[in-house]
């Protein structure tokens, strides 16, 4: 069921849990991820009671419903106790740090972004499962607070420039070597040594055969 379904205005508000900045890291996508995580922990019959409204989780009981709102509230309240430590998933990292998927992969590979482990999930409607890295929210918060993304991009730009300089130098060296090799051969393709004085006589005597 869609997490953005229309909320019944007649539904009774049973409980609400504001999401702190420490939990969302300023990201609406992270807030939605927390909502989906909390919703997944509820029994299927109770999931429709939980909503997210302006970064506040709300539990609403529709008029005439006999759902156990108390049980749902207890599950969410317990889960919310450690919500600030909920691992950050890839799309949330990209939103929080305003980075591309390519940057995330590169920085994860070279160790600048530190993995907190992996998670395997089965996507809805698909047979196969996918595995991805998750991240410690405090590590992502540190990267954000220290503006490490700017530093890492500057480092990447410097590395790319150095790689281009080296590639250009290598290409120039290869061209110079080819030029010297071409200059060292006569029209018949003989090496430079074959143009030494008296070489033709030496060769005509059959001494090279």
């Amino acid at each position: 069921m869609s997490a953005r379904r229309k909320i019944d205005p007649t539904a009774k508000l049973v409980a609400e849990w504001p999401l702190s900045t420490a939990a969302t890291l300023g990201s609406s996508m992270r807030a939605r991820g927390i909502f989906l995580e909390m919703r997944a922990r509820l029994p299927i019959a109770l999931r429709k009671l939980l909503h997210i409204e302006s970064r506040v989780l709300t539990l609403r009981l529709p008029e005439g419903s006999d759902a156990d709102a108390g049980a749902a509230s207890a599950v969410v309240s317990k889960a919310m106790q450690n919500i600030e430590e909920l691992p950050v998933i890839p799309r949330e990292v990209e939103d929080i740090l305003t980075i591309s998927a390519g940057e995330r992969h590169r920085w994860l590979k070279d160790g600048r972004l530190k993995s907190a482990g992996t998670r395997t999930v089965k996507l809805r409607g698909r047979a196969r499962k996918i595995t991805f890295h998750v991240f410690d929210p405090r590590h992502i918060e540190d990267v954000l607070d220290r503006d490490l993304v700017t530093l890492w991009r500057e480092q990447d730009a410097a590395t790319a420039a150095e790689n281009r300089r080296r590639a250009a130098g290598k290409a120039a060296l290869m061209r110079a070597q080819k030029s010297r090799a071409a200059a060292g051969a006569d029209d018949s393709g003989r090496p430079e040594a074959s143009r030494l004085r008296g070489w033709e006589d030496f060769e005509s005597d059959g001494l090279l055969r």
Side-chain angles (χ1 to χ4, degrees):
M1 185 179 296
S2 171
R4 294 190 175 91
R5 64 186 181 278
K6 185 177 180 180
I7 298 174
D8 182 355
T10 66
K12 177 184 177 182
L13 178 63
V14 177
E16 61 181 11
W17 300 267
L19 298 178
S20 66
T21 301
T24 65
L25 298 176
S27 166
S28 58
M29 185 170 292
R30 170 74 168 164
R32 176 170 167 75
I34 292 173
F35 161 69
L36 293 175
E37 179 69 22
M38 295 300 101
R39 188 170 174 268
R41 298 188 186 190
L42 291 172
I44 294 177
L46 300 178
R47 291 178 182 176
K48 62 183 179 181
L49 304 182
L50 189 66
H51 306 270
I52 184 167
E53 306 171 45
S54 300
R55 301 192 184 187
V56 176
L57 299 186
T58 61
L59 192 68
R60 295 183 178 275
L61 187 65
E63 186 176 356
S65 173
D66 60 355
D68 191 345
S73 179
V75 170
V76 177
S77 293
K78 182 178 180 180
M80 287 292 292
Q81 292 176 4
N82 299 311
I83 199 60
E84 294 179 359
E85 303 307 317
L86 183 70
V88 187
I89 62 177
R91 65 171 178 266
E92 295 172 358
V93 169
E94 293 167 15
D95 187 59
I96 293 167
L97 300 180
T98 318
I99 63 176
S100 67
E103 288 174 324
R104 174 174 57 82
H105 284 296
R106 181 167 64 253
W107 297 338
L108 174 63
K109 184 177 181 180
D110 65 22
R112 283 180 281 185
L113 272 179
K114 304 183 185 304
S115 172
T118 59
R119 177 184 293 184
T120 300
V121 299
K122 181 179 179 181
L123 298 179
R124 183 184 301 177
R126 299 186 183 181
R128 70 182 184 91
K129 297 179 180 180
I130 62 170
T131 299
F132 52 86
H133 287 270
V134 295
F135 304 87
D136 186 326
R138 302 288 73 82
H139 169 54
I140 300 304
E141 184 178 39
D142 181 60
V143 171
L144 183 65
D145 289 346
R146 294 167 61 193
D147 195 20
L148 293 180
V149 167
T150 298
L151 174 62
W152 293 347
R153 283 173 174 161
E154 291 173 351
Q155 292 173 340
D156 288 351
T159 299
E162 177 62 16
N163 289 341
R164 288 193 298 269
R165 186 191 67 77
R166 290 182 178 180
K170 184 177 181 179
L173 179 60
M174 292 181 65
R175 287 194 300 270
Q177 290 174 339
K178 289 180 179 179
S179 296
R180 286 195 295 270
D186 61 13
D187 294 340
S188 64
R190 291 177 178 171
E192 186 175 1
S194 68
R195 298 196 298 275
L196 294 175
R197 182 179 302 172
W199 183 272
E200 290 80 1
D201 295 337
F202 187 71
E203 185 177 18
S204 66
D205 289 337
L207 298 178
L208 296 180
R209 296 182 177 86

